[in-house]
Structures are given as structure tokens and as C-alpha cells.
Amino acid sequence: MVCDQFIVRKISKIAKMKDIIYKQEFNIQGGDFINGGEASCKISTILKEIGIDPEVILRVAVASYEAEMNVVMYAQQGTIIFILTPVKLVLQIEDIGPGIEDINRAMVPGFSTATDEMREMGFGAGMGLPNIKENSDVLNIDSETGKGTKLEIIINLP
Amino acid sequence: MSKKIISLEQIKTSLNLEVLQGNQLDKKKVNKGYVGDVLSNVIAQAKPGDIWITCQGHPNIVAVAVLKKLSAIIIVGKRNPEPATVQKAKTENIPLFKTELPAFEVVGKIYQQGVFGI
Ligand SMILES: Nc1ncnc2c1ncn2[C@@H]1O[C@H](COP(=O)(O)OP(=O)(O)OP(=O)(O)O)[C@@H](O)[C@H]1O
Ligand SMILES: [Mg+2]
């Protein structure tokens, strides 16, 4: 799959640039609203244990949660790869799912295709992707309709 | 009205909240609050230490509270929280309360005690 190669290439690029201090992969199950958010909680805990600046941890938490919940809401399944280098934090969220038809439109605050059931639960404000953008230094989105979506979020360390 | 730091115990008592999960409430302090049912707003805008008032009762609210280091969640209105929510709050050690009072009343009563939103 093209996506896999892309991820491998990106990771090795990062690895060459700066040493990886920490790297971990988490699975996300589509539709699992009970456990949705747990990968993000684990990442937060790891960052706290490493001693990362609390303000940075909060930014990572927002970005990671929104990306994770989008996989839960829209995709069948996905993974979060979390990489820490001395200078930055990288989150790569990849899913198998419907993909995003129009990324620019999806980025507009308020745009949402969430179901009534999801809205009832407090999702579907169309603020997830804007929140990720707001809290990250770099946001790359790559998506193929009918296949899946890939997000790369970079947050620089102070 | 002056800004105050009060304990979860004080909030619980004054509002007659039902404790779904939580202990040593007298030792846990609150100085600010946030109210909201739209999770993207809460995750972006609530601040660490805030007491969170919401009508959402599903387990995902616990993840939001953990990630934003919120001091407690009060579930308001007639909606009954799911058992999985209480279970998750226990696991994550997030104090969880319930009341049938509507959000406006809950916020008003807490505000009156000197806990503000900003
Ligand atoms: N991983 C994904 N797979 C498929 N579509 C997605 C994915 N992520 C986002 N989208 C699409 O982009 C839209 C906007 O996403 P965004 O996260 O900003 O808002 P939302 O999920 O609808 O609501 P909120 O995040 O505020 O609960 C979604 O409604 C959905 O149509
Ligand atoms: Mg979203």
C-alpha cells in the first residue's frame, strides 16, 4: 500500500534528522466510543513521565484526542504512531476508512458529517481538525476516498 | 464576590450532589469551572483544574477530563450516566458527580461560592 511506504519514508527521515528518544504504536478501533481516547491518555502519561513541559502535553492531548476520535467516528480501524525526538513530537495517525473527500472543506470550522447519534454524544461540532491545527506546529493530511486517511502532526519542543 | 478556592467536598455538600466516584473530596481543590456538552469545545477550552459541568454521561467524557487534567465532572439533568462511565472514572481516578439540577442552577450555585470561569 502506498500509505505504508509513505509512513516508513517519513519515519526514517525523522530518524535521520534527530535521534528517536521514544516511539510507540497504538491501535484504534473504529466505532469504539468507550475506549476511544485511551491511546491519547497513554501518550499523555508517557510524556508526563518523560518530563515534557505541561503546556506541550496539553497541546499534544488536544491534537491526539481529536485525531483519535476521528478514527473512532469515521474509520474502521487505525493506528497512532507516536515519536519523540529531542526537538519535536510527531504523531502519525493512519486509518482504514472512507477517507476525506475534500480536505479543505473538512478543515473549515463547523463542517461535519457526524451522524445524529454522534452529535447527541457531543461530537460533530466540526472543530476537531481546526483544534488539531491550532495546537500543532505542522499538520499534514493525506487521504484517499474509499481507502483511508493519514494525519501527521508535529509539535516542536520548547 | 471574591475569588475563592473551595474543595470538592464543599461543592458536593452545597449542591447535594450524588457521588458516583471519588474520595478524599475535602483534599481536592477547585478554583475554576467550565460548562459544556460539545466535546471539541471542552477539550480545547477547559483548563487544568476546572470542574466540568455537562449533560453528557458516556464514558468518553472521562478521557476528556484526564487529558485536560480537570478536577471533577458533574453530570447534570435527568440523564443517567452509563455504568461504563463510572467504571472508567474509577480507573482514571476522576471524581464524578451527578445531580438532577439543570446546568444553569449548578453553575450559578458554584459561582456564588467564588468559583469563576476565567
Ligand atoms: N479520519 C477520518 N476519516 C474520514 N473522514 C474524516 C476523518 N477525519 C475527519 N473526517 C471528516 O472531516 C469532517 C471534519 O472533521 P472534524 O474533526 O473537524 O469535525 P467532526 O469530527 O465532524 O466534529 P468534532 O471533531 O468537533 O466532534 C468530519 O465530519 C468528517 O467528514
Ligand atoms: Mg472530529
PDB file of all heavy atoms in Angstrom, chain A residues 66 70-71 73-75 95 98-100 106 111-114 122-130 149, chain B residues 38 40, ligand 1:
ATOM      1  N   GLU A  66      -8.405  14.537  19.305  1.00  0.00           N
ATOM      2  CA  GLU A  66      -9.251  14.838  18.149  1.00  0.00           C
ATOM      3  C   GLU A  66      -8.975  13.883  16.994  1.00  0.00           C
ATOM      4  O   GLU A  66      -9.899  13.416  16.329  1.00  0.00           O
ATOM      5  CB  GLU A  66      -9.052  16.283  17.693  1.00  0.00           C
ATOM      6  CG  GLU A  66      -9.524  17.328  18.707  1.00  0.00           C
ATOM      7  CD  GLU A  66     -11.050  17.448  18.793  1.00  0.00           C
ATOM      8  OE1 GLU A  66     -11.761  16.578  18.268  1.00  0.00           O
ATOM      9  OE2 GLU A  66     -11.527  18.425  19.405  1.00  0.00           O
ATOM     10  N   ASN A  70     -11.573  11.005  15.601  1.00  0.00           N
ATOM     11  CA  ASN A  70     -11.995  10.974  14.193  1.00  0.00           C
ATOM     12  C   ASN A  70     -11.890   9.559  13.627  1.00  0.00           C
ATOM     13  O   ASN A  70     -12.745   9.148  12.838  1.00  0.00           O
ATOM     14  CB  ASN A  70     -11.166  11.956  13.357  1.00  0.00           C
ATOM     15  CG  ASN A  70     -11.704  13.370  13.465  1.00  0.00           C
ATOM     16  OD1 ASN A  70     -12.763  13.606  14.041  1.00  0.00           O
ATOM     17  ND2 ASN A  70     -10.971  14.322  12.916  1.00  0.00           N
ATOM     18  N   VAL A  71     -10.863   8.831  14.045  1.00  0.00           N
ATOM     19  CA  VAL A  71     -10.752   7.431  13.607  1.00  0.00           C
ATOM     20  C   VAL A  71     -11.917   6.627  14.190  1.00  0.00           C
ATOM     21  O   VAL A  71     -12.570   5.863  13.483  1.00  0.00           O
ATOM     22  CB  VAL A  71      -9.393   6.820  14.027  1.00  0.00           C
ATOM     23  CG1 VAL A  71      -9.346   5.334  13.652  1.00  0.00           C
ATOM     24  CG2 VAL A  71      -8.244   7.572  13.390  1.00  0.00           C
ATOM     25  N   MET A  73     -14.814   7.722  15.066  1.00  0.00           N
ATOM     26  CA  MET A  73     -16.090   8.144  14.488  1.00  0.00           C
ATOM     27  C   MET A  73     -16.263   7.726  13.038  1.00  0.00           C
ATOM     28  O   MET A  73     -17.349   7.349  12.627  1.00  0.00           O
ATOM     29  CB  MET A  73     -16.224   9.673  14.562  1.00  0.00           C
ATOM     30  CG  MET A  73     -16.548  10.172  15.956  1.00  0.00           C
ATOM     31  SD  MET A  73     -17.208  11.846  15.887  1.00  0.00           S
ATOM     32  CE  MET A  73     -15.713  12.759  15.945  1.00  0.00           C
ATOM     33  N   TYR A  74     -15.198   7.841  12.238  1.00  0.00           N
ATOM     34  CA  TYR A  74     -15.396   7.705  10.795  1.00  0.00           C
ATOM     35  C   TYR A  74     -14.755   6.466  10.172  1.00  0.00           C
ATOM     36  O   TYR A  74     -15.162   6.059   9.087  1.00  0.00           O
ATOM     37  CB  TYR A  74     -14.893   8.965  10.077  1.00  0.00           C
ATOM     38  CG  TYR A  74     -15.509  10.223  10.638  1.00  0.00           C
ATOM     39  CD1 TYR A  74     -14.769  11.126  11.381  1.00  0.00           C
ATOM     40  CD2 TYR A  74     -16.877  10.467  10.461  1.00  0.00           C
ATOM     41  CE1 TYR A  74     -15.358  12.264  11.926  1.00  0.00           C
ATOM     42  CE2 TYR A  74     -17.462  11.596  10.998  1.00  0.00           C
ATOM     43  CZ  TYR A  74     -16.701  12.493  11.727  1.00  0.00           C
ATOM     44  OH  TYR A  74     -17.279  13.603  12.269  1.00  0.00           O
ATOM     45  N   ALA A  75     -13.744   5.901  10.820  1.00  0.00           N
ATOM     46  CA  ALA A  75     -12.992   4.830  10.155  1.00  0.00           C
ATOM     47  C   ALA A  75     -13.284   3.455  10.745  1.00  0.00           C
ATOM     48  O   ALA A  75     -13.942   3.342  11.785  1.00  0.00           O
ATOM     49  CB  ALA A  75     -11.498   5.139  10.230  1.00  0.00           C
ATOM     50  N   ASP A  95      -5.598   5.630   9.159  1.00  0.00           N
ATOM     51  CA  ASP A  95      -6.757   4.743   9.287  1.00  0.00           C
ATOM     52  C   ASP A  95      -7.184   4.123   7.970  1.00  0.00           C
ATOM     53  O   ASP A  95      -6.843   4.603   6.892  1.00  0.00           O
ATOM     54  CB  ASP A  95      -7.945   5.459   9.962  1.00  0.00           C
ATOM     55  CG  ASP A  95      -8.592   6.525   9.093  1.00  0.00           C
ATOM     56  OD1 ASP A  95      -8.982   6.230   7.942  1.00  0.00           O
ATOM     57  OD2 ASP A  95      -8.716   7.679   9.567  1.00  0.00           O
ATOM     58  N   PRO A  98     -13.311   5.619   5.138  1.00  0.00           N
ATOM     59  CA  PRO A  98     -13.901   6.237   3.940  1.00  0.00           C
ATOM     60  C   PRO A  98     -13.030   7.323   3.317  1.00  0.00           C
ATOM     61  O   PRO A  98     -13.247   7.697   2.165  1.00  0.00           O
ATOM     62  CB  PRO A  98     -15.194   6.856   4.480  1.00  0.00           C
ATOM     63  CG  PRO A  98     -14.917   7.114   5.920  1.00  0.00           C
ATOM     64  CD  PRO A  98     -14.005   6.019   6.373  1.00  0.00           C
ATOM     65  N   GLY A  99     -12.056   7.814   4.084  1.00  0.00           N
ATOM     66  CA  GLY A  99     -11.240   8.913   3.573  1.00  0.00           C
ATOM     67  C   GLY A  99     -11.999  10.228   3.629  1.00  0.00           C
ATOM     68  O   GLY A  99     -13.192  10.262   3.938  1.00  0.00           O
ATOM     69  N   ILE A 100     -11.281  11.319   3.363  1.00  0.00           N
ATOM     70  CA  ILE A 100     -11.910  12.640   3.360  1.00  0.00           C
ATOM     71  C   ILE A 100     -11.964  13.136   1.919  1.00  0.00           C
ATOM     72  O   ILE A 100     -10.930  13.267   1.264  1.00  0.00           O
ATOM     73  CB  ILE A 100     -11.124  13.639   4.241  1.00  0.00           C
ATOM     74  CG1 ILE A 100     -10.999  13.103   5.681  1.00  0.00           C
ATOM     75  CG2 ILE A 100     -11.787  15.015   4.231  1.00  0.00           C
ATOM     76  CD1 ILE A 100     -10.135  13.953   6.594  1.00  0.00           C
ATOM     77  N   ALA A 106     -13.157  19.998   4.926  1.00  0.00           N
ATOM     78  CA  ALA A 106     -13.135  19.349   6.250  1.00  0.00           C
ATOM     79  C   ALA A 106     -12.437  20.229   7.283  1.00  0.00           C
ATOM     80  O   ALA A 106     -12.755  20.180   8.471  1.00  0.00           O
ATOM     81  CB  ALA A 106     -12.449  17.989   6.161  1.00  0.00           C
ATOM     82  N   PHE A 111     -17.640  22.406   9.767  1.00  0.00           N
ATOM     83  CA  PHE A 111     -18.011  21.381   8.784  1.00  0.00           C
ATOM     84  C   PHE A 111     -17.961  20.001   9.439  1.00  0.00           C
ATOM     85  O   PHE A 111     -16.964  19.629  10.045  1.00  0.00           O
ATOM     86  CB  PHE A 111     -17.096  21.386   7.555  1.00  0.00           C
ATOM     87  CG  PHE A 111     -17.423  20.252   6.611  1.00  0.00           C
ATOM     88  CD1 PHE A 111     -18.463  20.366   5.700  1.00  0.00           C
ATOM     89  CD2 PHE A 111     -16.717  19.046   6.677  1.00  0.00           C
ATOM     90  CE1 PHE A 111     -18.787  19.302   4.861  1.00  0.00           C
ATOM     91  CE2 PHE A 111     -17.042  17.981   5.839  1.00  0.00           C
ATOM     92  CZ  PHE A 111     -18.079  18.108   4.937  1.00  0.00           C
ATOM     93  N   SER A 112     -19.050  19.257   9.317  1.00  0.00           N
ATOM     94  CA  SER A 112     -19.103  17.925   9.916  1.00  0.00           C
ATOM     95  C   SER A 112     -20.067  17.018   9.181  1.00  0.00           C
ATOM     96  O   SER A 112     -21.113  17.456   8.713  1.00  0.00           O
ATOM     97  CB  SER A 112     -19.549  18.035  11.379  1.00  0.00           C
ATOM     98  OG  SER A 112     -19.657  16.748  11.943  1.00  0.00           O
ATOM     99  N   THR A 113     -19.680  15.769   9.089  1.00  0.00           N
ATOM    100  CA  THR A 113     -20.589  14.764   8.528  1.00  0.00           C
ATOM    101  C   THR A 113     -21.029  13.786   9.620  1.00  0.00           C
ATOM    102  O   THR A 113     -21.505  12.695   9.331  1.00  0.00           O
ATOM    103  CB  THR A 113     -19.919  13.977   7.371  1.00  0.00           C
ATOM    104  OG1 THR A 113     -18.777  13.290   7.905  1.00  0.00           O
ATOM    105  CG2 THR A 113     -19.498  14.883   6.236  1.00  0.00           C
ATOM    106  N   ALA A 114     -20.840  14.181  10.879  1.00  0.00           N
ATOM    107  CA  ALA A 114     -21.198  13.304  12.003  1.00  0.00           C
ATOM    108  C   ALA A 114     -22.685  12.963  11.973  1.00  0.00           C
ATOM    109  O   ALA A 114     -23.509  13.766  11.549  1.00  0.00           O
ATOM    110  CB  ALA A 114     -20.847  13.988  13.320  1.00  0.00           C
ATOM    111  N   GLY A 122     -22.197  14.707  21.775  1.00  0.00           N
ATOM    112  CA  GLY A 122     -21.333  15.878  21.909  1.00  0.00           C
ATOM    113  C   GLY A 122     -20.225  15.959  20.878  1.00  0.00           C
ATOM    114  O   GLY A 122     -19.349  16.808  20.953  1.00  0.00           O
ATOM    115  N   PHE A 123     -20.276  15.055  19.901  1.00  0.00           N
ATOM    116  CA  PHE A 123     -19.313  15.135  18.800  1.00  0.00           C
ATOM    117  C   PHE A 123     -19.978  15.852  17.631  1.00  0.00           C
ATOM    118  O   PHE A 123     -21.176  16.135  17.670  1.00  0.00           O
ATOM    119  CB  PHE A 123     -18.878  13.730  18.371  1.00  0.00           C
ATOM    120  CG  PHE A 123     -18.216  12.956  19.467  1.00  0.00           C
ATOM    121  CD1 PHE A 123     -18.906  11.964  20.153  1.00  0.00           C
ATOM    122  CD2 PHE A 123     -16.917  13.234  19.837  1.00  0.00           C
ATOM    123  CE1 PHE A 123     -18.310  11.252  21.185  1.00  0.00           C
ATOM    124  CE2 PHE A 123     -16.304  12.535  20.870  1.00  0.00           C
ATOM    125  CZ  PHE A 123     -17.010  11.535  21.543  1.00  0.00           C
ATOM    126  N   GLY A 124     -19.182  16.113  16.597  1.00  0.00           N
ATOM    127  CA  GLY A 124     -19.770  16.655  15.381  1.00  0.00           C
ATOM    128  C   GLY A 124     -19.900  18.169  15.352  1.00  0.00           C
ATOM    129  O   GLY A 124     -20.710  18.707  14.610  1.00  0.00           O
ATOM    130  N   ALA A 125     -19.083  18.861  16.146  1.00  0.00           N
ATOM    131  CA  ALA A 125     -19.079  20.320  16.086  1.00  0.00           C
ATOM    132  C   ALA A 125     -18.283  20.808  14.878  1.00  0.00           C
ATOM    133  O   ALA A 125     -18.294  21.994  14.548  1.00  0.00           O
ATOM    134  CB  ALA A 125     -18.490  20.901  17.368  1.00  0.00           C
ATOM    135  N   GLY A 126     -17.577  19.896  14.256  1.00  0.00           N
ATOM    136  CA  GLY A 126     -16.718  20.282  13.137  1.00  0.00           C
ATOM    137  C   GLY A 126     -15.531  21.106  13.606  1.00  0.00           C
ATOM    138  O   GLY A 126     -15.017  21.970  12.905  1.00  0.00           O
ATOM    139  N   MET A 127     -15.077  20.815  14.822  1.00  0.00           N
ATOM    140  CA  MET A 127     -13.963  21.570  15.410  1.00  0.00           C
ATOM    141  C   MET A 127     -12.715  20.724  15.642  1.00  0.00           C
ATOM    142  O   MET A 127     -11.693  21.239  16.095  1.00  0.00           O
ATOM    143  CB  MET A 127     -14.402  22.189  16.746  1.00  0.00           C
ATOM    144  CG  MET A 127     -15.353  23.377  16.599  1.00  0.00           C
ATOM    145  SD  MET A 127     -14.753  24.641  15.460  1.00  0.00           S
ATOM    146  CE  MET A 127     -13.278  25.172  16.336  1.00  0.00           C
ATOM    147  N   GLY A 128     -12.802  19.436  15.329  1.00  0.00           N
ATOM    148  CA  GLY A 128     -11.672  18.541  15.593  1.00  0.00           C
ATOM    149  C   GLY A 128     -10.428  18.907  14.803  1.00  0.00           C
ATOM    150  O   GLY A 128      -9.363  19.160  15.379  1.00  0.00           O
ATOM    151  N   LEU A 129     -10.566  18.959  13.493  1.00  0.00           N
ATOM    152  CA  LEU A 129      -9.406  19.290  12.655  1.00  0.00           C
ATOM    153  C   LEU A 129      -8.909  20.714  12.937  1.00  0.00           C
ATOM    154  O   LEU A 129      -7.703  20.926  13.073  1.00  0.00           O
ATOM    155  CB  LEU A 129      -9.737  19.069  11.171  1.00  0.00           C
ATOM    156  CG  LEU A 129      -9.953  17.600  10.760  1.00  0.00           C
ATOM    157  CD1 LEU A 129     -10.446  17.502   9.309  1.00  0.00           C
ATOM    158  CD2 LEU A 129      -8.680  16.775  10.934  1.00  0.00           C
ATOM    159  N   PRO A 130      -9.815  21.717  13.049  1.00  0.00           N
ATOM    160  CA  PRO A 130      -9.329  23.055  13.436  1.00  0.00           C
ATOM    161  C   PRO A 130      -8.594  23.061  14.787  1.00  0.00           C
ATOM    162  O   PRO A 130      -7.593  23.762  14.947  1.00  0.00           O
ATOM    163  CB  PRO A 130     -10.615  23.894  13.503  1.00  0.00           C
ATOM    164  CG  PRO A 130     -11.555  23.216  12.544  1.00  0.00           C
ATOM    165  CD  PRO A 130     -11.243  21.749  12.670  1.00  0.00           C
ATOM    166  N   THR A 149      -7.289   7.625   5.673  1.00  0.00           N
ATOM    167  CA  THR A 149      -6.782   8.965   5.941  1.00  0.00           C
ATOM    168  C   THR A 149      -5.501   8.857   6.752  1.00  0.00           C
ATOM    169  O   THR A 149      -5.350   7.969   7.576  1.00  0.00           O
ATOM    170  CB  THR A 149      -7.838   9.770   6.733  1.00  0.00           C
ATOM    171  OG1 THR A 149      -9.033   9.835   5.956  1.00  0.00           O
ATOM    172  CG2 THR A 149      -7.359  11.180   7.043  1.00  0.00           C
TER     173      THR A 149
ATOM    174  N   VAL B  38     -20.340  19.998  24.220  1.00  0.00           N
ATOM    175  CA  VAL B  38     -19.689  19.749  22.939  1.00  0.00           C
ATOM    176  C   VAL B  38     -18.220  19.439  23.215  1.00  0.00           C
ATOM    177  O   VAL B  38     -17.466  20.303  23.677  1.00  0.00           O
ATOM    178  CB  VAL B  38     -19.838  20.978  22.008  1.00  0.00           C
ATOM    179  CG1 VAL B  38     -19.025  20.795  20.739  1.00  0.00           C
ATOM    180  CG2 VAL B  38     -21.308  21.211  21.681  1.00  0.00           C
ATOM    181  N   SER B  40     -15.491  18.857  21.552  1.00  0.00           N
ATOM    182  CA  SER B  40     -14.405  19.612  20.911  1.00  0.00           C
ATOM    183  C   SER B  40     -14.190  20.972  21.583  1.00  0.00           C
ATOM    184  O   SER B  40     -13.074  21.485  21.592  1.00  0.00           O
ATOM    185  CB  SER B  40     -14.698  19.821  19.428  1.00  0.00           C
ATOM    186  OG  SER B  40     -14.334  18.672  18.700  1.00  0.00           O
TER     187      SER B  40
HETATM  188  N1  LIG C   1     -10.286  10.034   9.782  1.00  0.00           N
HETATM  189  C1  LIG C   1     -11.295  10.489   9.040  1.00  0.00           C
HETATM  190  N2  LIG C   1     -11.893   9.697   8.113  1.00  0.00           N
HETATM  191  C2  LIG C   1     -12.918  10.152   7.366  1.00  0.00           C
HETATM  192  N3  LIG C   1     -13.432  11.394   7.449  1.00  0.00           N
HETATM  193  C3  LIG C   1     -12.885  12.211   8.357  1.00  0.00           C
HETATM  194  C4  LIG C   1     -11.809  11.820   9.211  1.00  0.00           C
HETATM  195  N4  LIG C   1     -11.470  12.862   9.983  1.00  0.00           N
HETATM  196  C5  LIG C   1     -12.301  13.857   9.659  1.00  0.00           C
HETATM  197  N5  LIG C   1     -13.152  13.477   8.680  1.00  0.00           N
HETATM  198  C6  LIG C   1     -14.177  14.318   8.016  1.00  0.00           C
HETATM  199  O1  LIG C   1     -13.900  15.691   8.273  1.00  0.00           O
HETATM  200  C7  LIG C   1     -15.008  16.305   8.971  1.00  0.00           C
HETATM  201  C8  LIG C   1     -14.485  17.332   9.943  1.00  0.00           C
HETATM  202  O2  LIG C   1     -13.727  16.701  10.969  1.00  0.00           O
HETATM  203  P1  LIG C   1     -13.573  17.417  12.379  1.00  0.00           P
HETATM  204  O3  LIG C   1     -12.805  16.516  13.261  1.00  0.00           O
HETATM  205  O4  LIG C   1     -13.042  18.780  12.160  1.00  0.00           O
HETATM  206  O5  LIG C   1     -15.070  17.588  12.883  1.00  0.00           O
HETATM  207  P2  LIG C   1     -16.086  16.465  13.377  1.00  0.00           P
HETATM  208  O6  LIG C   1     -15.352  15.201  13.665  1.00  0.00           O
HETATM  209  O7  LIG C   1     -17.186  16.388  12.413  1.00  0.00           O
HETATM  210  O8  LIG C   1     -16.637  17.103  14.735  1.00  0.00           O
HETATM  211  P3  LIG C   1     -15.824  17.242  16.119  1.00  0.00           P
HETATM  212  O9  LIG C   1     -14.412  16.837  15.860  1.00  0.00           O
HETATM  213  O10 LIG C   1     -15.941  18.681  16.508  1.00  0.00           O
HETATM  214  O11 LIG C   1     -16.508  16.321  17.076  1.00  0.00           O
HETATM  215  C9  LIG C   1     -15.727  15.137   9.592  1.00  0.00           C
HETATM  216  O12 LIG C   1     -17.087  15.426   9.860  1.00  0.00           O
HETATM  217  C10 LIG C   1     -15.572  14.057   8.537  1.00  0.00           C
HETATM  218  O13 LIG C   1     -16.476  14.231   7.483  1.00  0.00           O
END
